[in-house]
């Protein structure tokens, strides 16, 4: 006879974590779902900013999955300094871009372990699939995550369980191992079949990653912040405000001393307005255009270049001259500039 048990589900709301949740739920196990917000989730960041550039607002898939399967969910924000310190100094290094996937999973699992203990739960489970991701879902790294998080024997991966050593809940009869799966690799054929079997009909389609840190262009901006601070003799670090700005606007490294951020939409313009203190604010006068911020201490020539780039992205881009207002603290100046027309130069400056 199967024992009664309680589990903590780490879910993103994607197909894999939704299926893992359904597999464990159908065994009559009490489940509480947990969704962690790191500050780098693309869809949730878009939600917090008020929507995508096209005006649509993405839904929170973790909340949707929990509601569909009638499971309580706790939303946990871990985007503070502790997480950011790990991000800058990952023990197991980065993936192809700025993604410290193994360290990130260990960090989350430690947080989940604390919730498991507080809830009196027996184990934690995830939607991870053996071999699906090149860095964090290899057999050796799955084991590292389990070990370093202090979850030896209590971290279940239902979709690949039959390919992995039995966990404590399987050994003690809380979970029936025969009702779990043996999925591996990047093909999603078995997941699609399983979705039909379990009656799971609503999930987001894969879209090439859901974390900014795996994005090449974002990674360039991320490392630019770290490298610039280090070159200036400052601590190599990322702060919460950086996270917001890194996912906002077009970024240009004007010089080692100065960076320009240009809004791409009304939503981004409004967001940049909240981050003016300590920066210069630029905006074209008399024509519609973006809000832009300049960080650092630009020279006069670099101010003019920033103003020309701002003029380039406004409605006056084809005009011979555009008036661009520069506000920096109490200083307010207007520069009459020709919009920057050298596309190669602009792209060379873009981070």
């Amino acid at each position: 006879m199967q024992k009664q048990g309680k589990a903590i589900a780490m879910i993103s709301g994607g197909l894999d974590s939704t299926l893992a949740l359904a597999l464990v739920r159908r065994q009559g196990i009490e489940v509480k779902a947990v969704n962690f917000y790191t500050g780098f989730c693309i869809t949730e960041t878009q939600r917090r900013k008020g929507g995508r550039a096209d005006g649509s607002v993405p839904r929170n898939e973790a909340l949707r999955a929990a509601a569909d399967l009638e499971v309580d969910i706790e939303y946990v924000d871990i985007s503070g300094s502790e997480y950011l310190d790990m991000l800058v100094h990952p023990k197991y290094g980065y993936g192809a871009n700025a993604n410290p996937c193994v360290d990130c999973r260990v960090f989350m699992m430690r947080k989940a372990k604390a919730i498991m203990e507080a809830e009196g739960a027996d184990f934690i489970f995830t939607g991870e699939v053996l071999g699906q991701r090149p860095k964090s879902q290899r057999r050796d790294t799955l084991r590292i995550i389990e070990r370093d998080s202090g979850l030896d024997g209590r971290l279940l991966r239902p979709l690949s369980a039959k390919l992995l050593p039995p966990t404590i809940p399987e050994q003690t009869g809380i979970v029936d191992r025969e009702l779990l799966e043996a999925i591996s690799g990047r093909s999603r054929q078995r997941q699609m079949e399983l979705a039909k079997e379990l009656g799971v009909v609503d999930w987001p389609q894969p879209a090439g990653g859901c974390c900014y840190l795996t994005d090449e262009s974002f990674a360039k901006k991320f490392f630019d912040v770290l490298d610039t601070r280090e070159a200036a003799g400052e601590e190599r670090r990322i702060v919460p405000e950086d996270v917001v700005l890194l996912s906002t606007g077009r970024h240009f490294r004007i010089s080692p001393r100065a960076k320009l951020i240009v809004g791409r939409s009304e939503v981004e313009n409004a967001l940049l307005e909240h981050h003016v203190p300590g920066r210069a604010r630029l905006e074209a006068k008399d024509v519609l255009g973006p809000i832009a911020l300049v960080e650092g201490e630009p020279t006069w020539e670099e101010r003019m270049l920033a103003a020309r780039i701002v003029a380039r992205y406004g409605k006056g881009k084809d005009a011979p001259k555009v008036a661009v207002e520069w506000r920096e603290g109490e200083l307010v100046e207007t520069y009459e500039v020709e919009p920057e027309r050298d596309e190669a130069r602009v792209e060379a400056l873009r981070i």
Side-chain angles (χ1 to χ4, degrees), residues 13 43-44 47 52 57-62 64 68 202-204:
T43 55
E44 186 58 25
R47 279 171 50 80
R52 301 185 178 98
V57 179
R59 63 184 181 178
N60 185 305
E61 296 293 351
R64 186 271 314 155
D68 287 352
D202 188 12
W203 67 85

Side-chain angles (χ1 to χ4, degrees), residues 156-298:
L156 176 69
R157 282 93 172 193
L159 297 181
S160 298
K162 290 182 179 179
L163 302 175
L164 300 169
T167 58
I168 291 172
E170 293 168 89
Q171 293 170 338
T172 58
I174 294 173
V175 174
D176 185 344
R177 184 177 174 85
E178 293 306 309
L179 297 178
L180 303 179
E181 292 291 315
I183 304 173
S184 67
R186 305 189 71 173
S187 171
R188 297 171 70 84
Q189 182 177 347
R190 176 54 188 155
Q191 284 96 317
M192 297 297 185
E193 295 170 354
L194 189 58
K196 292 180 181 179
E197 294 172 17
L198 296 173
V200 174
V201 296
D202 188 12
W203 67 85
Q205 293 301 313
C210 62
C211 178
Y212 280 116
L213 296 168
T214 64
D215 180 77
E216 183 179 0
S217 63
F218 185 94
K220 289 179 181 178
K221 292 181 283 188
F222 174 86
F223 288 119
D224 174 75
V225 171
L226 295 179
D227 295 343
T228 300
R229 285 185 177 146
E230 185 174 39
E234 300 176 15
E235 180 184 355
R236 190 175 175 86
R237 66 192 180 101
I238 291 288
V239 299
E241 188 175 35
D242 294 326
V243 177
V244 177
L245 292 175
L246 283 171
S247 62
T248 304
R250 303 175 180 90
H251 289 230
F252 302 90
R253 174 55 60 187
I254 301 298
S255 75
R257 296 174 299 275
K259 181 172 79 169
L260 171 68
I261 305 172
V262 181
R264 294 171 295 190
S265 65
E266 289 186 17
V267 169
E268 290 193 339
N269 285 345
L271 190 143
L272 291 177
E273 291 281 19
H274 291 288
H275 295 275
V276 171
R279 301 175 175 86
R281 178 192 184 280
L282 283 72
E283 183 180 16
K285 298 178 67 176
D286 305 322
V287 293
L288 290 176
I291 301 297
L293 302 180
V294 171
E295 298 179 337
E297 300 178 357

Side-chain angles (χ1 to χ4, degrees), residues 8-21 23 101-109 112 124-133 135-147 149 151 154-164 167 180-188 191 194:
I8 301 298
M10 284 184 54
I11 67 170
S12 65
L15 178 58
D16 291 339
S17 67
T18 302
L19 291 175
L21 182 58
L23 281 171
C101 295
V102 176
D103 294 86
C104 183
R105 295 301 288 179
V106 170
F107 189 95
M108 289 182 181
M109 294 301 177
I124 291 169
F125 68 93
T126 75
E128 293 167 299
V129 171
L130 180 65
Q132 188 180 79
R133 295 183 181 177
K135 185 171 180 65
S136 64
Q137 294 181 8
R138 302 193 312 262
R139 190 177 296 273
D140 59 331
T141 52
L142 290 177
R143 173 60 191 140
I144 287 170
I145 292 165
E146 179 181 351
R147 181 196 67 205
S149 62
L151 284 168
R154 297 197 179 275
L155 180 50
L156 176 69
R157 282 93 172 193
L159 297 181
S160 298
K162 290 182 179 179
L163 302 175
L164 300 169
T167 58
L180 303 179
E181 292 291 315
I183 304 173
S184 67
R186 305 189 71 173
S187 171
R188 297 171 70 84
Q191 284 96 317
L194 189 58

